[in-house]
Amino acid sequence: MIDVDPTPQQVARHLRAANAIAQRALAAGHHPFGALLVGPDHETVLIEQGNVDSVNHAEAVLARTAAARWTSHELWHCTLYTTVEPCCMCAGTQYWANIGRVVFGMEERRLLEFTGNHAENPTMDLPCREVFAHGHKAIRVLGPVPTVEAEIAALHIAFWQRAFP
């Protein structure tokens, strides 16, 4: 496990940056999800990634890109910030990439309240903590984060109500 967690101010700043990435993904015609990878200093942003499509989620694409650029030892000391709790696919990709911490703004269950059983986002009710609990690595999970959750939720509420009434 990573020894020192980011400060609440760093968490809020990076989650707001992830939400800005989600807004850019939305403007590009994708679902509003955003993620970024921050280095061990809790300041340096290494990669930003918006959602691509239903099998290339922001977190999974980011984790695969990071695994191609850095060693597993280096990634263990990094933090993946994401607007919404990683789904089981993204959590698994993070696990295999060896990114040691994830911070998310809003739970996947909360997202399900906005999307329902919509074909565009068939949310699985499987928290990332549960996915990680079945592995052999102590991935650190922080979230949801109430200070930014409403901002992230607002983007999703507007998107899912407008795009799929």
Side-chain angles (χ1 to χ4, degrees):
M1 187 181 305
I2 300 172
D3 297 324
V4 180
D5 284 333
T7 67
Q9 294 79 16
Q10 289 168 321
V11 165
R13 181 167 27 92
H14 291 311
L15 284 174
R16 285 188 174 108
N19 204 36
I21 295 164
Q23 290 171 335
R24 289 196 303 269
L26 179 60
H30 306 291
H31 293 175
F33 297 94
L36 50 93
L37 183 68
V38 175
D41 65 357
H42 301 300
E43 291 295 331
T44 306
V45 175
L46 303 172
I47 306 174
E48 296 182 350
Q49 182 65 54
N51 201 62
V52 178
D53 57 36
S54 62
V55 290
N56 290 292
H57 296 179
E59 304 90 338
V61 172
L62 183 147
R64 287 190 297 272
T65 302
R69 291 186 188 173
W70 292 282
T71 68
S72 61
H73 175 75
E74 290 169 317
L75 290 175
W76 184 251
H77 301 285
C78 294
T79 304
L80 189 158
Y81 285 86
T82 182
T83 51
V84 179
E85 178 178 12
C87 70
C88 57
M89 174 182 69
C90 293
T93 307
Q94 177 184 346
Y95 178 87
W96 289 108
N98 209 48
I99 300 169
R101 181 189 294 111
V102 63
V103 178
F104 63 86
M106 183 175 73
E107 287 182 320
E108 190 174 24
R109 281 189 178 148
R110 182 97 194 274
L111 177 65
L112 182 60
E113 294 173 18
F114 310 137
T115 63
N117 188 24
H118 196 284
E120 288 285 323
N121 194 59
T123 303
M124 296 181 75
D125 188 8
L126 183 58
C128 70
R129 284 178 173 92
E130 189 170 333
V131 174
F132 294 139
H134 289 278
H136 299 282
K137 303 174 193 178
I139 305 289
R140 179 89 167 110
V141 179
L142 303 173
V145 179
T147 55
V148 296
E149 186 174 8
E151 298 166 42
I152 293 167
L155 183 61
H156 282 276
I157 291 168
F159 173 73
W160 293 101
Q161 288 179 351
R162 184 184 71 245
F164 309 103

